[in-house]
Amino acid sequence: MAKSAKDKDKQIDQKLRAAGLKVTQARLSILSILSQKHGPFSADEIYQLVHASKKTAAIDKVTVYRCLTKFEELGLVSACDFGDGTARYEIKHEDHHHHHLICRICKRIEEIPLCPMDDIPLRLPKTGYKDISHRLEFFGICPKCSE
Amino acid sequence: MAKSAKDKDKQIDQKLRAAGLKVTQARLSILSILSQKHGPFSADEIYQLVHASKKTAAIDKVTVYRCLTKFEELGLVSACDFGDGTARYEIKHEDHHHHHLICRICKRIEEIPLCPMDDIPLRLPKTGYKDISHRLEFFGICPKCSE
DNA sequence: CTTGTTGCAAATCGTTTGCAGGACA
DNA sequence: TGTCCTGCAAACGATTTGCAACAAG
């Protein structure tokens, strides 16, 4: 059932066209990286990864930022923020809502497939992580701004 | 039961001494602002507020950053991050754990006195906010880093 | 005194913007 | 072709750092 890199790239191409975006080398490279590696990654990391995989032409870091912004608008990727002043991006898989658990020391990132908003308290001890804290903020439109 | 500004300042002085910090004008000004106004505030906002209240001598913005960092280490204030690239700080009141609900448009900040980690799903509709999303990340020490 | 703090200037870091040349539809 | 994209350089905003003057204990 696992998709080959080629299949994924084909999917990406189609998603871009469906979104009305031009299919450029830069966009293909970035989305290819994001769909093959396990993120989330910062813009700089993506930039590095693209350059590391010599398969594609080098792209500018500014282009990475612009593409990621566009992808996020289109819902192709989702951004997350670990509070360290750097945005991170990962491919958005429909119907797979998750959060992250980040190690304060090594920065390892694990996916938490549960969402406390759903209903149940998380049973985090399972993960083996210690000294767990969390960052949670809500965003919405306040009554006044709703008109 | 409400404490006067003077009482609060006295408390602040004691907390600083208890923490082994020198009681300086800059620190008193910042903590005084934070304990009197309803935050959270960015470093720049605090800087502006300190300058606005002509009661105290002007302090440098760098000093604001340094004091806030120190206060956070000591647990006097807590930082929060709304993902807009600016850290915000508020006085930490023991036994009053809360999160925030930020209007996407006017940036109004409301306190959410509930925490989904406690156990129950939030009943946010009560607040009148619409189109609510949330930002949630967990931090901890992973098994490998625990030794 | 003497160590912790501050102010000032300058550096850093992530990210954004302006503009001209270049690539997709 | 005409518009969308990209690269390059430069601007930006938040935060940090180096260093010498300064003030609290």
Side-chain angles (χ1 to χ4, degrees):
Chain A
M1 222 28 198
K3 284 175 182 141
S4 71
K6 208 166 185 179
D7 283 340
K8 284 186 178 174
D9 285 354
K10 197 168 283 178
Q11 269 200 322
I12 290 168
D13 187 291
Q14 288 167 359
K15 281 196 176 180
L16 284 177
R17 289 184 199 287
L21 291 185
K22 289 189 175 172
V23 180
T24 67
Q25 195 49 241
R27 286 172 179 167
L28 289 176
S29 303
I30 295 171
L31 285 175
S32 177
I33 291 290
L34 285 179
S35 65
Q36 284 165 47
K37 308 252 180 186
H38 186 254
F41 300 112
S42 67
D44 186 66
E45 286 167 342
I46 293 167
Y47 173 75
Q48 303 294 344
L49 287 169
V50 169
H51 280 241
S53 87
K54 300 283 184 183
K55 297 180 190 174
T56 60
I59 60 179
D60 195 85
K61 200 183 288 185
V62 173
T63 300
V64 175
Y65 279 106
R66 285 196 270 229
C67 288
L68 288 173
T69 303
K70 187 118 286 188
F71 295 161
E72 201 196 353
E73 287 170 4
L74 293 167
L76 294 181
V77 306
S78 60
C80 53
D81 170 16
F82 298 163
D84 65 349
T86 309
R88 288 178 176 73
Y89 300 84
E90 60 189 346
I91 285 282
K92 185 185 280 180
H93 294 104
E94 57 293 328
D95 73 79
H96 175 55
H97 178 65
H98 67 261
H99 294 284
H100 297 105
L101 173 56
I102 304 97
C103 175
R104 283 206 196 83
I105 299 174
C106 72
K107 310 305 178 193
R108 177 198 314 278
I109 300 165
E110 304 220 355
E111 274 187 25
I112 300 294
L114 300 172
C115 175
M117 292 295 282
D118 286 347
D119 66 357
I120 321 134
L122 291 173
R123 287 141 313 166
L124 287 172
K126 275 191 180 175
T127 66
Y129 273 60
K130 291 181 185 171
D131 203 8
I132 291 167
S133 63
H134 58 283
R135 176 185 303 271
L136 171 62
E137 302 294 349
F138 295 98
F139 299 84
I141 311 288
C142 74
K144 285 192 182 169
C145 288
S146 296
E147 239 116 346
Chain B
M1 222 29 198
K3 283 174 182 142
S4 71
K6 206 164 184 179
D7 283 339
K8 286 186 178 175
D9 285 354
K10 196 168 287 180
Q11 267 199 324
I12 290 168
D13 186 291
Q14 289 167 357
K15 281 196 175 179
L16 285 177
R17 288 183 199 286
L21 292 185
K22 288 186 176 174
V23 180
T24 67
Q25 197 47 242
R27 288 173 178 166
L28 289 176
S29 302
I30 295 170
L31 286 175
S32 178
I33 291 288
L34 285 179
S35 65
Q36 283 165 48
K37 308 252 181 187
H38 186 255
F41 301 112
S42 66
D44 185 67
E45 286 168 340
I46 292 168
Y47 173 75
Q48 303 295 344
L49 287 168
V50 168
H51 281 240
S53 87
K54 301 284 186 182
K55 295 179 190 172
T56 59
I59 60 179
D60 194 86
K61 200 182 289 186
V62 173
T63 301
V64 175
Y65 279 106
R66 285 196 271 230
C67 288
L68 288 173
T69 302
K70 187 118 285 188
F71 295 162
E72 202 195 354
E73 287 169 6
L74 293 167
L76 293 181
V77 306
S78 60
C80 50
D81 170 16
F82 297 163
D84 65 348
T86 308
R88 288 177 177 73
Y89 301 83
E90 61 189 345
I91 285 280
K92 185 184 281 180
H93 294 103
E94 56 293 326
D95 72 81
H96 176 51
H97 178 66
H98 67 263
H99 294 285
H100 296 105
L101 173 56
I102 303 98
C103 175
R104 283 207 196 82
I105 298 174
C106 73
K107 310 304 175 191
R108 178 199 312 280
I109 300 165
E110 303 221 355
E111 274 187 25
I112 301 292
L114 300 173
C115 176
M117 292 294 282
D118 286 348
D119 66 357
I120 321 135
L122 291 174
R123 288 143 310 169
L124 288 171
K126 274 191 180 174
T127 66
Y129 274 59
K130 290 181 186 172
D131 203 9
I132 292 168
S133 64
H134 57 283
R135 176 187 302 272
L136 171 61
E137 302 294 350
F138 295 95
F139 298 85
I141 311 289
C142 74
K144 284 193 182 169
C145 288
S146 294
E147 237 114 350

